[in-house]
Amino acid sequence: MLVLLDQTRLPAEEIELVCTDVPALVRAIQTLAVRGAPLLGITGGYGVALAAARGFDVAEAAGLLEGARPTAVNLGYGVRRVAAAYWAASGKGEGDEAAAAAALAEARALHREDAQASRRMAEYGQALLEELLPGRAYQLLTHCNTGALVSGGEGTAFAVALRVHRQGRLRRLWVDETRPLLQGARLTAYEAARNGLAYSLLTDNAAGSLFAAGEVDAVLIGADRIAADGSVANKVGSYPLAVLAKYHHVPFIVVAPTTTVDLETPDGTSIIVEQRSGQEVTELTSPQGVSANGGGGIVVAPLGAPAYNPAFDVTPPELITAIVTEEGAISPVTGVGLAELCARSSQVTIS
Ligand code: MRU
């Protein structure tokens, strides 16, 4: 079985969600009980290992898991990588048990690598901030959730803020609440508080006035898919922040492992952006963090109001100051630079 921390219940309750089969895991992914690009990759990998261990059809399980959400490329990466390890072992005639063990070992390797990547991104990200804004304590603004809750380690963008905090160089982390599902308010604020960071929560709409007041030194966000040209799909609301940052001459930095780079997707227009239920916009999730589609929210719109609810938006490379990965940072963001980072990566390549 696979035991997950149910993120829909945070910050009110720390509740474990036990998944004993693939359909349950797919539901957990779709309701955002488990979420965030790197963690989706790890979870997808463990999902394949679970299917193999339980004697389910691995090809079918892989298809279901990979199709659970469309935007975060890590999900497909994790699923395909662990499935490949399973097929390689079973192709050698090692038997079902040995193939299942190979799948689990690969999922664990992916998990470990993500933790290592997280540490290195934090180092590179902090060094980049020092280069861009030398000798200062920073006010950083972040959007959505990019901490330990999305990672095998301490996260992506949040891990950079955490390192800066530990070095005594974080004046404040500005945390966008991240409507409609409030990953910033529910999850990033929770992680910031647990780690003792100086942070303030703001509505997404308040970011503009914060830039205008000169209170943002840099924006740090994660990514769900980075196309070959450096376009970045991330939680909806990231693109307007990039436009604001450009206008106010504030560095806009994307922090993500190379497993989030998808060189097969040529540009931002080719990225599939997940469209989610309008109910997430017309209702507020309850303080108990009722699941995204689970009902129980507070209705804030007329009955039957149509809603537009893309889960992500795409920021073009010309608005991004730098992309930081576990292999280093590129600035300016170019397709060539990105391809070089990926070539350096020790991440397993899967066809
Ligand atoms: O819809 P979610 O919650 O799975 O969105 C993913 C995210 O948390 C963000 O887009 C994040 O910035 C990228 S994952 C580190």
Side-chain angles (χ1 to χ4, degrees):
M1 66 185 177
L2 190 57
V3 182
L4 308 166
L5 177 63
D6 184 348
Q7 297 195 23
T8 64
R9 311 296 289 266
L10 293 172
E13 296 171 300
E14 292 179 6
I15 301 242
E16 286 180 350
L17 181 66
V18 178
C19 295
T20 53
D21 58 27
V22 169
L25 188 54
V26 168
R27 264 194 311 284
I29 292 171
Q30 291 176 336
T31 58
L32 310 200
V34 58
R35 46 154 293 285
L39 185 63
L40 285 174
I42 296 166
T43 306
Y46 279 125
V48 172
L50 172 72
R54 300 286 314 270
F56 299 138
D57 182 324
V58 168
E60 190 186 337
L64 287 173
L65 288 163
E66 194 172 346
R69 291 188 75 192
T71 305
V73 67
N74 306 60
L75 176 59
Y77 172 81
V79 167
R80 287 195 300 277
R81 177 168 155 183
V82 174
Y86 173 86
W87 297 124
S90 74
K92 284 189 217 144
E94 288 179 9
D96 290 349
E97 222 168 282
L104 183 58
E106 193 68 17
R108 286 186 170 142
L110 175 64
H111 193 165
R112 268 196 312 276
E113 285 166 24
D114 191 69
Q116 281 159 10
S118 174
R119 276 192 292 278
R120 294 174 66 183
M121 284 186 281
E123 288 166 15
Y124 283 123
Q126 186 264 324
L128 177 73
L129 281 173
E130 180 55 34
E131 196 183 316
L132 294 171
L133 307 160
R136 313 234 312 244
Y138 320 113
Q139 301 206 81
L140 305 174
L141 185 140
T142 193
H143 190 70
C144 200
N145 174 254
T146 61
L149 289 168
V150 299
S151 159
E154 291 187 318
T156 59
F158 187 85
V160 177
L162 197 53
R163 186 175 164 92
V164 168
H165 158 73
R166 287 177 182 148
Q167 294 183 341
R169 299 279 296 278
L170 182 69
R171 263 182 72 203
R172 181 148 306 271
L173 183 66
W174 297 111
V175 178
D176 267 9
E177 64 171 355
T178 318
R179 274 283 283 151
L181 294 179
L182 303 173
Q183 287 94 332
R186 294 190 303 105
L187 308 177
T188 303
Y190 164 83
E191 294 195 284
R194 275 172 74 110
N195 285 287
L197 270 63
Y199 76 95
S200 295
L201 193 58
L202 59 142
T203 63
D204 302 339
N205 296 336
S209 55
L210 205 54
F211 277 97
E215 299 290 340
V216 182
D217 296 314
V219 179
L220 287 181
I221 62 159
D224 292 83
R225 189 180 295 246
I226 303 176
D229 71 340
S231 297
V232 169
N234 192 54
K235 181 53 59 193
V236 68
S238 300
Y239 169 63
L241 287 178
V243 175
L244 273 170
K246 186 80 166 181
Y247 183 77
H248 291 282
H249 310 290
V250 166
F252 184 87
I253 300 166
V254 174
V255 186
T258 50
T259 48
T260 302
V261 180
D262 176 13
L263 296 176
E264 313 262 292
T265 294
D267 53 33
T269 59
S270 323
I271 297 176
I272 298 172
V273 171
E274 177 183 5
Q275 301 291 323
R276 292 185 63 87
S277 161
Q279 195 187 356
E280 294 177 351
V281 177
T282 58
E283 294 181 14
L284 293 176
T285 52
S286 78
Q288 285 74 34
V290 166
S291 72
N293 293 318
I298 299 162
V299 178
V300 292
L303 199 65
Y308 169 61
N309 188 20
F312 304 97
D313 59 23
V314 178
T315 301
E318 57 272 20
L319 294 183
I320 303 170
T321 310
I323 293 180
V324 177
T325 72
E326 79 281 11
E327 299 299 338
I330 51 165
S331 179
V333 174
T334 62
V336 172
L338 206 53
E340 276 170 13
L341 283 182
C342 290
R344 260 187 249 163
S345 166
S346 53
Q347 300 284 356
V348 174
T349 309
I350 31 172
S351 49

